[in-house]
């Protein structure tokens, strides 16, 4: 199918048309909330393909798997073409692709493991133990963040954090020893490759002549650098500085300014027509965001009619707030014939969810909580995946430690200490240490331990043969689960709860089904075990559960709501200390502008109706504290807002008078 210009003109507004048809040179597309950004990107790529640009020369980078998938599907539908050679990818997945080709130049083997946060924490803990850190000094979460900031250049070593320098070096050499990389490495190591090996960079520059970056305001300095090194002349970035809300993970909206410096011939196109929200909701969002000074001036406008006023409620406390939300959902669903999936409840902090979840359960309203425990973080899933990771990469110590005695096979703490001592003596991985203890004539391992280790090695090696060749991944993994008697292990571990065992076995079934679907997907050209393991590490948190969540109210943090929209939105907890958040104000040296951008993102998720609540009191740390409404509420123009006062408690004698009057009036009207 070809995209003729006449059709394009009819389907796009003038600015969208300009963005779609400007193919060459550097382009900055400022895309306001709800301005049809995804549509512009997909039409633009479709138009490029139609203009005769080969698929293999186009690279589109985005932030979530969901966005990459949606983009690919839309382009397929538009062009009616197979897209085997088009690269639409997240930054991290593209980093993996580069490393799979060339990581050996940096001293890793190509079948490397990718460590998630849990694995990172385990390695920090292990390294800390070796270096005799006290448990008090090992705040693993804090240290993990520090290491991430050091690695990405957001922080430098200074007097305050120098005590962790040795631990960092131990962590880094641990990663290399276990042939593993962490998430930061997926961006940092490709940059290192590009800088240290110009031939590698030249190869990629030669291939990708046209680059597009979605959600550009969310790029970190490192992601920007990776793109800058790759980009030649034809690079288009799409973003909105008003929606930059991820500074805590390194995002910097100032990359927009940097882009204009690095590409001085840049053409700027602004998409300001909003197709999502009513005029009232947009005017509220514009009113709030106009108080920020570090931004490109833009005025979103809508052709969707004025719509209903924004409703603001001041409930007594979080329980009253939760009841109000649940009752409102039931009322609006009936009155306006809406489905539960039409409602979004946005919160600033996870701690707010408990009262709301209880009220929804009480009212029998089905809901899904985004950002809860991800499917792949559940114990039984991590156990199965750990077996697969050790099968794929024997030197993956973190995962080996997870499964060496799961299910229990007599390899307890003392045995693991012996393995660690052997690994330290050989400066090797634990797997090499096992092999050494089994071969050595003077081995300190007992006969019983040797037998247990031999059985463990046999399981791994036997299944390695099967899993690394041919198809039928799910059936092979099922055979592995059966051989290690994992079901019996769960029954023993959760003897008191048959329900927990059933739930966990269902999760394993879901995992096997998803493997089957993945392997049999015609678009999947690489069905190796390595490809599967890298894919699931990169999966966004809720990808697995998405299908089951249709038809439910959506409860999520504001951060998790970015990119989504709902006909009816509740913003809960619009109080000082939550929006703007007390912690973020302290950490960012008073970054009120980012907090305001966060509130702006929350407002612009709403299509038809927006309800905001701010409690008068809230429980914090076993205390009830008085709350002040968020200062951002005052920035919404008054004429757009309807305040709902809480009903005043009426004294007994007044109540009698009111009732008498009502009865009199009733008599008159009868």
């Amino acid at each position: 199918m070809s995209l003729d210009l006449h059709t394009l003109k009819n389907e796009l507004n003038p600015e969208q048309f300009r963005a779609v048809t400007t193919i060459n040179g550097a382009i900055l597309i400022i895309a306001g909330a709800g301005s049809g950004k995804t549509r512009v990107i997909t039409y633009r790529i479709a138009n490029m393909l139609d203009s005769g640009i080969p698929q293999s020369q186009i690279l589109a980078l985005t932030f979530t798997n969901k966005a990459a998938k949606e983009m690919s599907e839309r382009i397929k539908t538009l062009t009616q073409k197979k897209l085997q050679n088009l690269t639409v990818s997240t930054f991290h997945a593209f980093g993996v692709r580069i490393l799979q080709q060339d990581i050996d130049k940096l001293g890793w083997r190509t079948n490397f493991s990718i460590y998630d946060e849990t694995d990172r924490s385990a390695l920090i803990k292990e390294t800390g133990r070796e270096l005799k850190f006290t448990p008090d000094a090992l705040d693993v979460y804090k240290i993990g963040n520090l290491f991430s900031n050091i690695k990405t250049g957001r922080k430098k070593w200074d007097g305050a954090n120098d005590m962790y320098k040795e631990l960092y070096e131990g962590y880094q050499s641990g990663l290399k020893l276990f042939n593993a990389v962490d998430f930061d490495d997926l961006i940092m190591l490709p940059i290192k490759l590009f800088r240290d090996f110009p031939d590698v960079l030249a190869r990629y520059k030669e291939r990708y002549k046209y680059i597009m970056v979605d959600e550009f305001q969310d790029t970190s300095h490192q992601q920007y650098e990776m793109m800058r090194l790759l980009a030649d002349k034809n690079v288009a970035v799409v973003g909105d500085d008003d929606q930059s809300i991820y500074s805590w993970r390194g995002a910097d909206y100032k990359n927009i300014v940097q882009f204009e410096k690095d590409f001085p011939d840049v053409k700027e196109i602004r998409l300001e027509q909003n197709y999502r929200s009513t005029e009232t909701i947009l005017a509220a969002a514009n009113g709030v965001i106009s108080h920020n000074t570090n931004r490109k001036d833009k005025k979103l406008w809508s052709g969707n009619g004025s719509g209903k006023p924004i409703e603001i409620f001041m409930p007594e406390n979080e329980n009253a707030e939760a009841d109000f939300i649940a009752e409102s959902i039931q009322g609006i669903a009936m009155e306006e014939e809406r489905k539960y999936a039409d409602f979004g409840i946005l919160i600033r902090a996870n701690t707010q969810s408990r009262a709301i979840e209880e009220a929804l359960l009480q009212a029998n309203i089905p809901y899904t909580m985004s950002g809860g425990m991800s499917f792949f973080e559940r114990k039984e899933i991590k156990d199965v995946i750990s077996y697969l990771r050790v099968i794929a990469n024997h030197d993956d110590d973190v995962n080996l430690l997870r499964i060496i005695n799961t299910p229990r096979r007599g390899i307890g703490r003392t045995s693991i200490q012996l393995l660690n001592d052997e690994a330290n003596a050989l400066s090797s991985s634990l797997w090499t240490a096992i092999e050494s203890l089994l071969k050595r004539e003077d081995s300190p391992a007992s006969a019983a331990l040797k037998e247990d280790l031999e059985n463990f090695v046999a399981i791994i090696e036997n299944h390695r043969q099967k899993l690394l060749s041919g198809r039928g991944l799910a059936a092979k993994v099922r055979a592995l689960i059966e051989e290690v008697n994992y079901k019996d292990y769960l029954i023993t571990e959760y003897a008191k709860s048959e329900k927990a065992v059933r739930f966990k076995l269902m999760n394993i079934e879901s995992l096997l089904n998803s493997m089957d679907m993945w392997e049999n997907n015609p678009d999947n050209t690489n069905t190796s075990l390595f490809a599967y393991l890298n894919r699931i590490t990169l999966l966004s948190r809720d990808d697995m559960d998405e299908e089951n969540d249709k038809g439910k109210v959506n409860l999520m943090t504001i951060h998790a709501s970015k990119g989504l929209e709902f006909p009816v939105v509740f913003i809960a907890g619009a109080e000082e200390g939550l929006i703007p958040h007390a912690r973020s104000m302290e950490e960012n040296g008073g970054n009120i502008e980012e907090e305001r951008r966060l509130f702006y993102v929350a407002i612009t998720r709403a299509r038809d109706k927006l309800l905001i609540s701010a409690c008068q009191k809230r429980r914090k740390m076993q205390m009830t504290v008085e709350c002040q409404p968020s200062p951002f509420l005052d920035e919404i123009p008054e004429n757009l807002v309807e305040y709902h006062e809480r009903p005043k408690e009426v004294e007994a004698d007044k109540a009698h008078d009111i009732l008498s009057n009502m009865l009199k009036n009733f008599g008159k009207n009868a």
Side-chain angles (χ1 to χ4, degrees):
M1 181 191 140
S2 89
L3 291 176
D4 70 282
L5 288 181
H6 184 69
T7 310
L8 277 181
K9 264 195 166 149
N10 285 341
E11 290 194 16
L12 302 167
N13 69 39
E15 290 305 296
Q16 287 177 329
F17 180 78
R18 195 173 147 225
V20 164
T21 52
T22 310
I23 292 175
N24 294 314
I27 301 151
L28 169 62
I29 302 168
I30 302 288
S35 63
K37 169 176 72 75
T38 309
R39 190 175 196 193
V40 164
I41 294 171
T42 49
Y43 268 82
R44 189 170 187 273
I45 292 173
N47 184 42
M48 288 161 83
L49 294 172
D50 204 51
S51 310
I53 294 169
Q55 289 181 24
S56 58
Q57 291 188 3
I58 300 172
L59 168 65
L61 293 169
T62 183
F63 275 83
T64 64
N65 293 294
K66 194 176 169 190
K69 193 175 159 193
E70 187 186 348
M71 215 178 277
S72 295
E73 281 169 3
R74 286 207 199 179
I75 300 164
K76 251 186 220 166
T77 308
L78 270 178
T79 57
Q80 302 290 295
K81 288 177 184 165
K82 288 187 173 170
L83 302 173
Q84 279 106 328
N85 295 318
L86 179 72
T87 309
V88 180
S89 165
T90 64
F91 272 95
H92 288 97
F94 187 61
V96 171
R97 192 182 285 210
I98 295 167
L99 295 178
Q100 279 170 336
Q101 289 289 312
D102 293 290
I103 199 168
D104 55 328
K105 293 183 171 65
L106 298 172
W108 277 260
R109 296 185 300 288
T110 48
N111 64 335
F112 58 88
S113 301
I114 304 170
Y115 278 11
D116 62 12
E117 264 187 54
T118 313
D119 299 330
R120 177 177 79 178
S121 300
L123 181 56
I124 291 172
K125 218 178 255 174
E126 193 55 39
T127 313
R129 241 182 259 127
E130 285 167 13
L131 293 170
K132 307 281 190 289
F133 270 75
T134 62
D136 290 348
L138 267 182
D139 181 338
V140 174
Y141 177 74
K142 194 175 109 186
I143 293 168
N145 276 343
L146 170 69
F147 287 4
S148 177
N149 285 329
I150 293 285
K151 194 175 276 198
T152 55
R154 294 198 291 275
K155 276 193 179 162
K156 291 188 169 55
W157 292 112
D158 56 37
N161 56 35
D162 272 353
M163 62 182 285
Y164 297 112
K165 216 172 195 172
E166 194 183 357
L167 183 62
Y168 176 77
E169 281 157 12
Y171 167 77
Q172 287 294 92
S173 58
L175 280 175
K176 208 157 189 179
L177 176 68
F178 306 146
N179 198 36
V181 297
D182 61 22
F183 256 61
D184 293 315
D185 289 329
L186 299 180
I187 306 296
M188 301 307 293
L189 292 179
I191 292 174
K192 188 169 171 54
L193 268 171
F194 288 167
R195 285 182 179 153
D196 295 358
F197 300 91
D199 56 318
V200 174
L201 178 60
R203 195 167 73 236
Y204 281 93
K205 282 178 87 93
E206 183 55 35
R207 174 167 178 185
Y208 296 112
K209 303 283 192 193
Y210 294 85
I211 295 175
M212 274 195 81
V213 180
D214 185 18
E215 302 287 6
F216 186 62
Q217 75 284 343
D218 293 337
T219 51
S220 65
H221 289 294
Q222 291 72 37
Q223 286 162 329
Y224 178 79
E225 182 60 8
M226 184 176 168
M227 179 215 81
R228 190 191 64 77
L229 287 164
L230 277 171
D232 200 11
K233 301 189 282 288
N234 306 316
V235 54
V237 300
V238 185
D240 178 10
D241 50 346
D242 288 337
Q243 293 186 72
S244 177
I245 56 174
Y246 291 117
S247 67
W248 48 277
R249 64 178 191 204
D252 192 348
Y253 66 93
K254 293 184 189 130
N255 282 344
I256 293 177
V257 177
Q258 193 57 48
F259 182 76
E260 290 173 313
K261 283 182 188 159
D262 290 336
F263 298 89
D265 297 333
V266 60
K267 299 183 187 81
E268 186 179 301
I269 300 170
R270 294 188 184 203
L271 308 179
E272 294 177 308
Q273 183 176 353
N274 172 292
Y275 292 91
R276 178 186 300 156
S277 308
T278 63
E279 286 166 11
T280 299
I281 291 168
L282 271 193
N286 285 332
V288 169
I289 204 67
S290 64
H291 287 77
N292 273 5
T293 51
N294 293 315
R295 63 186 289 265
K296 284 190 172 283
D297 190 38
K298 61 189 95 58
K299 266 279 191 287
L300 293 189
W301 60 277
S302 162
N304 295 342
S306 59
K308 300 194 174 76
I310 289 159
E311 298 180 33
I312 297 183
F313 291 76
M314 303 280 186
E316 177 79 24
N317 53 31
E318 65 265 42
N319 294 331
E321 176 182 56
D323 290 343
F324 148 69
I325 292 172
E327 285 161 18
S328 300
I329 289 173
Q330 285 175 320
I332 297 168
M334 274 174 64
E335 275 169 42
E336 301 180 13
E337 294 182 358
R338 294 196 182 274
K339 303 187 289 291
Y340 283 133
D342 290 344
F343 295 87
I345 308 169
L346 309 188
I347 54 178
R348 174 66 178 89
N350 280 312
T351 49
Q352 292 171 257
S353 79
R354 188 195 54 80
I356 297 170
E357 287 190 72
E358 282 176 11
L360 294 172
L361 286 167
Q362 189 71 34
N364 283 323
I365 296 172
Y367 71 94
T368 167
M369 172 74 195
S370 300
M373 183 182 274
S374 125
F375 182 82
F376 290 104
E377 283 171 356
R378 291 170 185 160
K379 180 189 173 344
E380 59 281 12
I381 302 300
K382 278 198 87 93
D383 286 347
V384 174
I385 298 295
S386 288
Y387 269 98
L388 299 183
R389 292 199 187 284
V390 173
I391 286 167
N393 173 11
H394 288 347
D395 297 329
D396 185 337
D397 277 12
V398 167
N399 283 297
L400 186 136
L401 284 169
R402 186 178 183 93
I403 58 163
I404 196 163
N405 206 36
T406 304
R408 302 194 196 290
R409 50 175 71 87
I411 306 172
R413 284 195 175 194
T414 316
S415 307
I416 288 170
Q417 190 54 58
L418 190 66
L419 287 178
N420 271 324
D421 292 346
E422 186 76 2
N424 289 338
L426 297 171
S427 295
S428 72
S429 68
L430 289 171
W431 184 269
T432 306
I434 293 172
E435 290 179 325
S436 167
L437 288 175
L438 291 175
K439 281 178 196 157
R440 268 172 64 184
E441 283 184 15
D442 61 341
S443 174
S446 66
L449 175 59
K450 277 187 172 177
E451 191 181 339
D452 291 331
L453 288 172
E454 275 168 356
N455 290 339
F456 175 67
V457 168
I459 289 171
I460 299 296
E461 292 294 14
N462 177 21
H463 288 275
R464 182 177 172 88
Q465 297 286 311
K466 296 169 188 168
L467 279 158
L468 292 189
S469 59
R471 292 179 65 82
L473 183 64
K476 290 171 184 174
V477 174
R478 189 184 295 280
L480 168 68
I481 294 166
E482 281 169 10
E483 187 173 338
V484 301
N485 292 322
Y486 194 80
K487 185 178 175 181
D488 293 349
Y489 161 72
L490 286 178
I491 292 168
T492 313
E493 282 293 291
Y494 299 93
K496 290 183 180 163
S497 174
E498 192 191 324
K499 195 174 167 189
V501 174
R502 248 195 349 265
F503 180 69
K504 290 177 183 298
L505 290 172
M506 269 168 48
N507 284 337
I508 290 173
E509 275 308 312
S510 293
L511 178 73
L512 295 170
N513 290 338
S514 78
M515 280 179 185
D516 217 25
M517 281 167 65
W518 171 80
E519 191 175 44
N520 293 308
N521 182 342
D523 292 337
N524 185 4
T525 52
N526 181 357
T527 57
S528 71
L529 179 61
F530 300 115
Y532 176 75
L533 291 171
N534 282 338
R535 171 185 172 265
I536 60 171
T537 308
L538 294 168
L539 269 180
S540 61
R541 291 179 63 88
D542 298 299
D543 282 4
M544 272 297 292
D545 301 319
E546 246 169 50
E547 283 307 303
N548 309 325
D549 291 339
K550 289 174 179 161
K552 298 178 183 179
V553 167
N554 304 277
L555 172 61
M556 60 186 66
T557 62
I558 303 173
H559 281 101
S561 75
K562 189 154 170 300
L564 303 175
E565 56 180 69
F566 305 100
V568 182
V569 166
F570 294 84
I571 303 174
E575 301 138 29
E576 198 156 355
L578 276 173
I579 311 178
H581 200 284
R583 192 180 64 238
S584 64
M585 299 303 295
E586 287 157 25
E587 283 175 5
N588 297 331
N591 191 354
I592 190 94
E593 297 222 339
E594 174 138 343
E595 289 291 304
R596 188 177 281 112
R597 289 197 289 272
L598 195 58
F599 193 54
Y600 171 83
V601 165
I603 294 172
T604 53
R605 298 312 92 197
R607 288 216 305 257
D608 309 325
K609 209 178 188 107
L610 178 61
L611 302 94
I612 304 175
S613 51
C615 293
Q616 299 172 46
K617 292 178 184 151
R618 188 178 287 278
R619 276 191 76 74
K620 285 181 188 168
M621 314 285 285
Q622 279 78 56
M623 283 170 59
T624 299
V625 295
E626 296 280 333
C627 301
Q628 292 301 316
S630 167
F632 300 149
L633 292 178
D634 291 336
E635 296 173 356
I636 300 174
E638 268 180 51
N639 60 321
L640 308 174
V641 169
E642 223 173 65
Y643 274 89
H644 287 245
E645 297 295 324
R646 66 189 170 123
K648 299 256 186 335
E649 283 187 19
V650 182
E651 292 164 17
D653 53 345
K654 281 190 183 166
H656 184 265
D657 294 344
I658 292 169
L659 190 61
S660 303
N661 285 330
M662 279 171 72
L663 288 169
K664 275 181 207 162
N665 289 333
F666 181 71
K668 279 180 199 167
N669 299 330

